[in-house]
Amino acid sequence: MPSSISNLRALCAAIALLFVFANPAVAQLSFKPTAEAVQEDKLLNALKEGDKITGRITIPDAMASSLIQPAGRDWRDFHRSKLPIIGGVAIIGMLALLAIFLLVRGRIRIDHGFSGAKLLRFASFERFTHWLTASCFIVLALSGLNISFGRILILPLFGANAFATMSAYGKYAHDYLAFPFMLGLIIMFLIWIKDNIPGKLDLDWIKQGGGLLSKGQHPPAHRFNAGQKGIFWIVIIGGALMSVSGWFMLFPYIPANVTELQFWTVIHAVIAMLFIAAMLAHIYIGSVGMEGAFDAMGTGEVDLNWAKEHHSLWVEEEQAKGRAPSGSAARPVAAE
Amino acid sequence: MKSFLAALAFAAIAAFCVSSVLDTIQQTSSVAYTTSGARVGDPGNNLIGPN
């Protein structure tokens, strides 16, 4: 009996040995279970999108219970590789386009020159609202770009200490100037929505390229032309998205989980790049790009000839109300 | 120019007021995210400190 058991053991060992030689992978699993049982890559790859490994915590911070969240790798990859491309194409691309436009088209002049007659385009409260939003936006944009790209672009120039100090104050400015920026957006929406409803006239303006592409061509427009209406809605919709996403980042305990918070940071970053690019175009056409345009937000008064060329229907409405000087494009005055 | 300067001043004042209000109504992370058993008396200025 003992010899038959011994023979049986020998037979099993021989079969096991044959199995091992025939299939080394199984042999490895069979003989080293602890080495193969836990491999982080396999574990992470096994998790589907949105899955995460959570633990049990006692501190009152529900998000801290997320121990491993594979989606975070995609989020990190977005910030390191995709966002610089989006930002570079949007911002540097817009600057390049504007430079080319300036070289090809040149500054858009007032065809009939300055008349010397003025009419009020923006009241002081409107200008206050514009500059409130604009000044906050500039600080938000610069400090936001520093958050996204400062480590790559500015840190090597300034050094670690100066960069850290600047970034810390930049973050304070970014956090707190967001509130007057949001206030400015709300006021802008309320005071200018009535003049920014798209209409059939805007289609004609767009078909003619707003008269920007050829000299002497000025499609009629009311107080705001289609281009300005576009900027208005970019500011309102883009600003609203920035505000909502920024709100979740200001108060990161509001989103339900880390994945949701990361989603809003991506929205914030992408909209920011597009928003900055659009505002560069707005700043260009309101200053260097068009003669007489800056006065609208500078002193609030624009030249009658400028208004007639770019907002002919608005001038007629103002003249009918007795709020604009009547007359033709006579008495041209040399540009300053 | 007056509108521009007024807007800058308003933005700075509004930002300061918001920071003061948020500092008043919010708890620091060293308090909000710890229980009383694990709370340190003087968290200092490290990552969980008041700043």
Side-chain angles (χ1 to χ4, degrees):
Chain A
M1 188 72 178
S3 72
S4 62
I5 291 174
S6 174
N7 289 338
L8 186 62
R9 280 180 181 167
L11 182 64
C12 289
I15 292 170
L17 202 59
L18 280 172
F19 190 70
V20 165
F21 283 123
N23 194 342
V26 175
Q28 206 173 3
L29 270 180
S30 302
F31 289 97
K32 295 182 180 176
T34 51
E36 285 289 326
V38 179
Q39 283 194 353
E40 192 180 16
D41 284 348
K42 285 186 178 176
L43 182 64
L44 295 179
N45 290 331
L47 293 171
K48 294 175 183 173
E49 191 176 347
D51 287 348
K52 62 186 70 166
I53 297 172
T54 57
R56 191 173 62 183
I57 56 170
T58 57
I59 63 171
D61 178 13
M63 286 193 196
S65 64
S66 293
L67 299 178
I68 300 177
Q69 187 218 15
R73 289 178 301 176
D74 299 333
W75 179 78
R76 184 181 58 194
D77 177 61
F78 166 80
H79 276 277
R80 286 184 177 175
S81 58
K82 294 185 179 67
L83 184 61
I85 295 171
I86 295 170
V89 169
I91 296 173
I92 298 173
M94 178 58 78
L95 288 172
L97 276 177
L98 293 173
I100 292 168
F101 184 76
L102 180 62
L103 286 172
V104 174
R105 175 67 170 85
R107 195 177 194 206
I108 299 168
R109 301 283 181 186
I110 301 174
D111 288 341
H112 295 90
F114 286 92
S115 69
K118 301 275 188 181
L119 72 160
L120 183 67
R121 180 147 175 79
F122 291 115
S124 58
F125 183 69
E126 291 176 300
R127 301 199 305 279
F128 168 82
T129 305
H130 173 270
W131 288 120
L132 171 66
T133 317
S135 58
C136 290
F137 176 83
I138 289 170
V139 177
L140 291 170
L142 292 176
S143 54
L145 287 172
N146 182 55
I147 290 170
S148 294
F149 306 124
R151 197 173 168 188
I152 304 168
L153 300 176
I154 300 177
L155 175 60
L157 297 176
F158 283 19
N161 288 338
F163 175 71
T165 305
M166 183 191 75
S167 299
Y169 283 112
K171 186 187 175 299
Y172 285 136
H174 199 91
D175 287 352
Y176 297 126
L177 284 173
F179 290 90
F181 174 74
M182 289 187 275
L183 177 66
L185 279 179
I186 293 168
I187 301 173
M188 266 187 178
F189 177 77
L190 294 175
I191 63 176
W192 285 332
I193 176 68
K194 67 181 190 309
D195 296 315
N196 280 287
I197 305 296
K200 187 176 176 300
L201 196 67
D202 297 319
L203 285 177
D204 298 332
W205 190 93
I206 292 169
K207 281 177 188 170
Q208 296 182 54
L212 299 175
L213 304 175
S214 53
K215 293 179 180 176
Q217 186 185 9
H218 300 292
H222 290 284
R223 191 181 188 203
F224 295 122
N225 59 40
Q228 291 163 328
K229 288 179 182 178
I231 288 292
F232 174 81
W233 287 109
I234 285 172
V235 169
I236 295 301
I237 295 171
L241 284 170
M242 293 301 290
S243 301
V244 171
S245 56
W247 193 267
F248 286 128
M249 293 159 75
L250 279 168
F251 306 106
Y253 45 81
I254 295 176
N257 51 53
V258 176
T259 311
E260 192 179 313
L261 183 60
Q262 287 173 344
F263 167 78
W264 286 114
T265 63
V266 171
I267 294 293
H268 200 77
V270 172
I271 300 294
M273 298 306 159
L274 302 178
F275 204 173
I276 291 169
M279 287 305 102
L280 286 173
H282 173 63
I283 292 168
Y284 167 80
I285 205 70
S287 56
V288 179
M290 180 180 284
E291 186 178 43
F294 185 78
D295 292 340
M297 277 300 166
T299 62
E301 292 183 326
V302 291
D303 190 87
L304 182 61
N305 282 354
W306 179 90
K308 280 185 172 180
E309 289 179 8
H310 299 292
H311 300 278
S312 55
L313 299 175
W314 173 67
V315 173
E316 290 173 12
E317 291 162 9
E318 292 297 292
Q319 286 174 334
K321 293 174 186 171
R323 296 196 297 214
S326 58
S328 64
R331 202 163 70 84
V333 177
E336 293 175 5
Chain B
M1 191 66 177
K2 283 181 185 173
S3 300
F4 175 69
L5 294 177
L8 291 187
F10 180 85
I13 292 168
F16 179 78
C17 291
V18 167
S19 71
S20 301
V21 170
L22 288 176
D23 276 351
T24 305
I25 64 173
Q26 292 196 125
Q27 293 176 310
T28 62
S29 59
S30 58
V31 173
Y33 291 141
T34 56
T35 52
S36 57
R39 195 166 293 152
V40 291
D42 180 13
N45 292 312
N46 58 24
L47 289 176
I48 63 156
N51 297 317

